[in-house]
Amino acid sequence: MSAPARQARPPRARRRWRRIVLLLCAVPLALLLALWLALPPERAIPMVLGQLGASMGLEIGAEGDAATHLGRQPMIVVRNLVVREPGAARPLLRARRAEVALPWRTIRGLGDPLELVRIELDAPRLDLPALRHWLASRPPGDGRLPTLSEGLQVREGRIDGDGWRVESLALDMPQLREDAPVRARASGRYADAAMRAPFDLAATLQRPASGRGFAVVGALAPARADWRLPMQATLSGGLHWDDALALLPARFGASGRYESGDTVVPFIVGLHGPLRAHGPAWSLVPASLTLRGGGLVPQLDARGRLALGQRLLLRLDGRIAQWPAQWPALPPPLGTSTQPLALSVDYLGPLDLGAPLGLRVARDDLRFDGHLDLPGLMTWAGTLDQGPLLPPVTGRLEASAMDISGARLEGIRIEFEDEATPAP
């Protein structure tokens, strides 16, 4: 995204994640207290929700038994909560149960400062496109952050995006304060048409202010029907949200293994660069990549660009330090060279890397320009002893000379065709 485009972004985009929490918690507290004292819960709570929704440009309703408690910490509990924009076909939020506890000083101060005790949500379902549509209609807020002295808890949650979802979401945040680190733990499962990725992650933000240090660490395991990629991963950097959500710079590292049938390939990967959000998509430009693992995994260092949205964009230029020992040997003089291999990759397709990968390789006077079937490559890697000699590639290889079976061939040009590799 160009600099002028970022500068043109309206100010309402700033601090939206703070305003979500603020607006959802800023109940007309004076009205709530009066209704608590004057009316039974089944009459008071619908009036409170209606008043709250009107102040936010939303329709908020609930069905089933509701309850209020006026003890040491006043509490409101609603069931079958539904939140939508007026006239919208889809609610932006549903929840089987919602509970909010707050201290009396918040009621006496009419929400200034906004201090809450705890929020609990059972089986919430958030529609992300509907939420974005509502946020785009809202005026900019002041960015005040409410206090949650006993934190936030979400159970059996779900987030629906464009063609993807997060299922079985559990979220625990012990507390939220302006002057204290924010810690949270989340588990669940990402899913789209082709992939599933269970995760269990812990996150820390030094302080809830833009530009502070952020880190998330834990386990995730992307998988399809024919392969699995369990790993331990870490993502860290300075979290910014003044103009747009960004991690500057982002540092990502993962240690895991590729599993398919009897094939197990360990790997270590690292990424570095500025990570920025562009609506539902993310970019890492410029991106630095390091790949290690030994055996079938080459020692690769590369730079380029990466973007992730409904599709994956990957464009990298780098080099492989040496020809991996478990790859098929190159004939002399190509196989005896000690020079690194220059490598360029170009990919645009589904997140599971199911589309052909553009591949260019150069070493001394060797040149290859073509496409590689990555899923087929992993199948080929597991059958090196009894399978075909060459990986599933299409393209052209050129070299000035090769020594094959005692004969020296010059001016080599070889065309590769593989029926299993889809057309790019």
Side-chain angles (χ1 to χ4, degrees), residues 46-186:
M47 295 177 64
V48 171
L49 295 179
Q51 180 70 17
L52 173 62
S55 69
M56 300 166 62
L58 293 169
E59 294 176 351
I60 303 179
E63 300 176 355
D65 296 334
T68 58
H69 303 280
L70 294 176
R72 182 177 61 89
Q73 295 175 344
M75 179 189 305
I76 179 173
V77 179
V78 298
R79 302 184 186 279
N80 300 323
L81 179 70
V82 179
V83 181
R84 73 173 76 230
E85 279 193 88
R90 298 183 304 181
L92 64 87
L93 177 66
R94 293 177 179 269
R96 185 172 61 208
R97 174 181 171 274
E99 176 182 312
V100 179
L102 63 162
W104 282 105
R105 60 178 174 272
T106 297
I107 296 176
R108 289 193 297 266
L110 302 182
D112 188 16
L114 184 56
E115 297 180 3
L116 303 175
V117 176
R118 185 169 175 82
I119 297 176
E120 293 184 7
L121 297 173
D122 292 345
R125 182 166 181 172
L126 178 67
D127 188 303
L128 206 54
L131 175 63
R132 291 196 187 101
H133 186 272
W134 172 67
L135 287 174
S137 70
R138 302 301 299 166
D142 59 12
R144 290 185 306 159
L145 190 68
T147 295
L148 291 170
S149 59
E150 295 182 13
L152 168 71
Q153 182 186 82
V154 173
R155 290 290 178 266
E156 301 178 48
R158 174 167 169 153
I159 301 173
D160 290 313
D162 291 316
W164 60 269
R165 62 191 181 276
V166 174
E167 307 168 330
S168 303
L169 177 65
L171 175 65
D172 286 285
M173 184 170 60
Q175 66 172 6
L176 179 63
R177 299 180 183 275
E178 286 275 8
D179 57 351
V182 179
R183 295 182 174 88
R185 189 167 193 98

Side-chain angles (χ1 to χ4, degrees), residues 310-343:
Q310 291 185 345
R311 295 192 295 174
L312 172 64
L313 168 69
L314 184 64
R315 290 176 180 166
L316 295 170
D317 296 293
R319 68 178 200 169
I320 296 175
Q322 60 185 8
W323 190 261
Q326 294 189 20
W327 288 11
L330 293 174
L334 304 175
T336 57
S337 174
T338 58
Q339 295 298 313
L341 281 79
L343 178 72

Side-chain angles (χ1 to χ4, degrees), residues 138-262:
R138 302 301 299 166
D142 59 12
R144 290 185 306 159
L145 190 68
T147 295
L148 291 170
S149 59
E150 295 182 13
L152 168 71
Q153 182 186 82
V154 173
R155 290 290 178 266
E156 301 178 48
R158 174 167 169 153
I159 301 173
D160 290 313
D162 291 316
W164 60 269
R165 62 191 181 276
V166 174
E167 307 168 330
S168 303
L169 177 65
L171 175 65
D172 286 285
M173 184 170 60
Q175 66 172 6
L176 179 63
R177 299 180 183 275
E178 286 275 8
D179 57 351
V182 179
R183 295 182 174 88
R185 189 167 193 98
S187 63
R189 182 175 59 254
Y190 168 90
D192 59 30
M195 185 185 300
R196 301 291 185 270
F199 60 87
D200 188 355
L201 305 170
T204 300
L205 178 63
Q206 287 179 345
R207 279 186 59 190
S210 183
R212 297 290 181 168
F214 170 81
V216 57
V217 59
L220 61 156
R224 287 191 61 180
D226 53 350
W227 58 259
R228 187 168 172 264
L229 204 68
M231 68 182 80
Q232 290 287 327
T234 301
L235 177 66
S236 64
L239 184 61
H240 298 257
W241 58 75
D242 285 332
D243 187 29
L245 193 62
L247 203 59
L248 306 175
R251 302 175 183 88
F252 174 81
S255 173
R257 62 190 183 274
Y258 171 88
E259 300 175 351
S260 180
D262 296 331

Side-chain angles (χ1 to χ4, degrees), residues 269-272 287-292 300-304 314 316:
V269 64
L271 281 167
H272 181 275
S288 297
L289 169 71
T290 298
L291 179 64
R292 299 290 187 270
L300 171 65
D301 295 285
R303 288 179 59 85
L314 184 64
L316 295 170

